[in-house]
Amino acid sequence: MAELRLVTYNIRGLKSPIKRSQLFRQLHRNKVQVVFLQETHYKHNKTPNLSRSLYNLWFHSTSECSNKLGVSIGIHKNTAFTLKDIQVDPNGRFILVKGEMENQIFTWVNLYAPNTGQKKWILDILPKIENFREGILIIAGDLNVSLNPTLDSSTGKSAIPRFALLAIQNQLHYSGLIDAWRATHPSTKDYTHFSAPHNSYHRLDYILVPKSHIHLCKDIHIDSMIYSDHFPVSITLQIPNSTTKTYTWRLNETILSKPEIKRKISERLCDFFTLNNVENTSPHLLWESHKAYV
């Protein structure tokens, strides 16, 4: 199986070219191939030209009303991806991208939920995802809610009413979606956001996958916080039925323009054919062998 490294990160603004460059270099060093960013703060239809960056294929959702929102999905320049369909939120809170990679169809979903009315927003977006999805589904982003306050909040409490939290949990269960990090860390207390005004930690950033795909997930980590008040969450995804790239050796023909090289090759080939052109030797085998010898 081939592997795909993904990271979701509420970056708290990415308009600075210096911050972008530093972030992309760090992601590149960590061999991240697909990155989900929230709170990019790009103005509507005024996203930067990233065609020459390490992550040169981007899909953005920006807000028509505010430059404090925005979500983006970026794909590394060495990762081939063919777009099939895309759905963009005009409010800059979600983006749905569907395409082909490694002979497999993927649906990438990047979410940035509001900090009020999370229940209605999440319950509204899940049916849209279900209607759009195809192939392997990955939902990543900042849900602005701790799904299990006992383990996901340093205070042990949720900021939203219990009935609203239960409705979200039930809808995720009904949709067959699993919190990938919690599935591999069933009793661990760890957090992805620090609230300075409340002096508390919460796990708000998630990677959700269908139950049928949880076996493809491994190495799920909450990483170090550098550029934001959120911690990035990373995951390695195993890609089933992918085809490993093969490469055919080819002679570098530019070396044949050098007289000294040409002379040496001619001399060696005379010796090669004298020694190997013997009885019962296939002409095809002899010809292919001489190319390897060169």
Side-chain angles (χ1 to χ4, degrees):
M1 288 187 179
E3 293 185 345
L4 199 63
R5 190 71 175 166
L6 303 92
V7 162
T8 179
Y9 199 178
N10 182 320
I11 198 61
R12 204 180 184 186
L14 202 59
K15 292 189 287 187
S16 165
I18 296 176
K19 186 176 182 179
R20 289 198 300 268
S21 178
Q22 291 174 340
L23 172 65
F24 295 163
R25 284 200 299 269
Q26 179 192 359
L27 294 171
H28 178 68
R29 285 194 298 269
N30 293 335
K31 300 181 179 180
V32 174
Q33 293 153 285
V34 183
V35 55
F36 300 73
L37 299 177
Q38 303 87 44
E39 275 200 79
T40 52
H41 293 181
Y42 295 148
K43 293 182 179 179
H44 183 57
N45 291 333
K46 292 187 178 180
T47 55
N49 183 1
L50 302 173
S51 60
R52 295 187 177 181
S53 72
L54 290 165
Y55 296 80
N56 61 349
L57 180 59
W58 286 90
F59 307 99
H60 303 285
S61 172
T62 56
S63 173
E64 298 176 354
C65 304
S66 172
N67 62 357
K68 298 298 182 182
L69 304 174
V71 294
S72 298
I73 297 177
I75 299 176
H76 195 278
K77 64 180 182 179
N78 294 335
T79 303
F81 180 81
T82 303
L83 179 66
K84 290 189 63 179
D85 197 5
I86 184 170
Q87 186 173 334
V88 177
D89 175 32
N91 297 316
R93 288 209 174 268
F94 70 81
I95 186 169
L96 284 61
V97 175
K98 180 164 51 181
E100 185 174 347
M101 182 185 296
E102 296 283 353
N103 299 320
Q104 186 70 241
I105 301 297
F106 287 91
T107 298
W108 311 123
V109 177
N110 192 357
L111 304 180
Y112 177 42
N115 55 17
T116 59
Q118 297 96 322
K119 168 182 166 288
K120 183 179 185 307
W121 191 87
I122 293 174
L123 267 57
D124 285 346
I125 191 65
L126 288 177
K128 294 179 182 178
I129 296 172
E130 183 61 30
N131 291 332
F132 181 87
R133 63 176 285 193
E134 182 181 351
I136 297 176
L137 172 66
I138 299 293
I139 303 174
D142 178 0
L143 298 185
N144 256 315
V145 61
S146 296
L147 294 177
N148 184 347
T150 304
L151 295 176
D152 295 338
S153 173
S154 61
T155 64
K157 300 177 181 179
S158 174
I160 70 172
R162 179 173 173 78
F163 77 89
L165 183 60
L166 286 174
I168 295 172
Q169 293 172 343
N170 289 337
Q171 187 61 44
L172 290 174
H173 178 75
Y174 176 78
S175 301
L177 295 172
I178 293 179
D179 172 5
W181 187 87
R182 178 58 66 199
T184 55
H185 304 77
S187 59
T188 303
K189 287 190 175 183
D190 205 350
Y191 314 106
T192 65
H193 175 256
F194 173 67
S195 174
H198 301 95
N199 192 30
S200 59
Y201 288 88
H202 307 272
R203 193 163 70 92
L204 307 178
D205 304 84
Y206 292 86
I207 296 176
L208 305 174
V209 299
K211 291 179 181 179
S212 58
H213 296 154
I214 192 65
H215 68 284
L216 303 176
C217 304
K218 69 174 192 175
D219 296 333
I220 309 171
H221 298 289
I222 296 175
D223 300 321
S224 300
M225 176 172 60
I226 299 179
Y227 305 105
S228 174
D229 56 350
H230 285 253
F231 298 78
V233 183
S234 62
I235 184 173
T236 297
L237 189 68
Q238 293 183 314
I239 307 176
N241 302 324
S242 60
T243 303
T244 304
K245 293 181 179 179
T246 58
Y247 299 90
T248 302
W249 179 87
R250 181 169 180 165
L251 175 67
N252 180 4
E253 296 177 358
T254 60
I255 67 174
L256 299 180
S257 62
K258 300 178 181 180
E260 181 63 19
I261 296 293
K262 290 173 66 176
R263 184 184 62 81
K264 288 184 177 180
I265 289 177
S266 297
E267 292 175 355
R268 299 292 178 85
L269 284 180
C270 285
D271 295 337
F272 174 85
F273 283 109
T274 299
L275 293 171
N276 293 281
N277 190 14
V278 296
E279 187 178 359
N280 297 326
T281 299
S282 163
H284 175 75
L285 177 61
L286 187 63
W287 181 253
E288 294 299 322
S289 299
H290 108 274
K291 289 192 290 184
Y293 182 76
V294 170

